[in-house]
Amino acid sequence: LLEGVTMIALCATKSSGFVYTRFVPIIVPGMASLQLRVYAFIDGAHVRAALQDLGVRWQDVNLRDSTIAALHGAGSWRGGAMALTRVFVYDAVSADEPTDAPSDVENWLTRNDELIDVHVRRGHLAGDRRSTNRRRQKGVDVQLAVDALSGAFNAVYDVALLVAGDADFAPVVEAIRDRGPLMIGCSFSRKLSDVLKEACDRVVLLY
């Protein structure tokens, strides 16, 4: 129960290896009914790298349900309960990837893109194709920053949840915070930069 709102799970089913769970807010009579719109912005590569370091199969992760779980650790704000509205995922795949044999990353992004209220934004990989370690993502971080800032300036959300760890996102976080929304950083302890941590209003550590 958070400020008069309780979340219940309905109709859990399995499809494409994922467990789909629909969380429905129930307002308790006589208590606060303020719902805070939460937009989540997820750096897919950050999630994959962190989970791989922990020995967890990122290929099986449902980003929507994982975000809802992380949001519960953020508490309430201004007397309102946080309700996840949309999830945006940013990651990159190779431009020359064969369509008849997609990679694990592409399969993972596609499955998450099919989830309710989840939107995947794809960038591309640049660099030496013969070496995975030398390839760099292009058009990913910038797109995340543009979407997050646009949403803040157009007041489409009350709370921004950033799942990332790179210090380069700190100026974006500060700009969003200055516009009024609550800025929550969500990351893995070993992957979170001190600069980004200081820029956020709140931080939720996953591991």
Side-chain angles (χ1 to χ4, degrees), residues 33-41 71 77 80-87 151-161 180-184:
S33 59
L34 177 62
Q35 287 284 294
L36 301 176
R37 302 162 298 171
V38 180
Y39 272 40
F41 303 93
L71 193 58
W77 186 53
M82 299 184 195
L84 186 64
T85 305
R86 286 198 174 111
V87 177
F153 275 78
N154 288 298
V156 299
Y157 59 76
D158 306 299
V159 179
L161 178 72
L182 179 71
M183 191 68 234
I184 301 174

Side-chain angles (χ1 to χ4, degrees), residues 87-152:
V87 177
F88 295 90
V89 183
Y90 304 82
D91 212 328
V93 295
S94 177
D96 56 354
E97 183 174 290
T99 56
D100 59 340
S103 65
D104 286 348
V105 174
E106 178 57 36
N107 284 329
W108 180 62
L109 294 177
T110 298
R111 290 198 300 273
N112 275 282
D113 202 19
E114 294 171 350
L115 299 174
I116 298 173
D117 300 327
V118 176
H119 309 273
V120 172
R121 305 279 199 255
R122 290 172 174 80
H124 65 277
L125 294 173
D128 189 348
R129 297 178 181 178
R130 296 168 297 179
S131 175
T132 303
N133 293 331
R134 295 180 180 177
R135 306 199 75 180
R136 295 291 180 266
Q137 292 188 342
K138 297 293 183 181
V140 176
D141 291 356
V142 171
Q143 187 62 61
L144 188 159
V146 168
D147 289 348
L149 287 169
S150 176

Side-chain angles (χ1 to χ4, degrees), residues 9-10 12 15 40 53 79 91 99 101 108 124 143 159 165 174 176-177 197 202:
L10 298 178
S15 177
D53 287 349
D91 212 328
T99 56
W108 180 62
H124 65 277
Q143 187 62 61
V159 179
E174 292 170 352
I176 292 172
R177 193 186 61 204
K197 181 178 180 179
R202 300 181 186 179

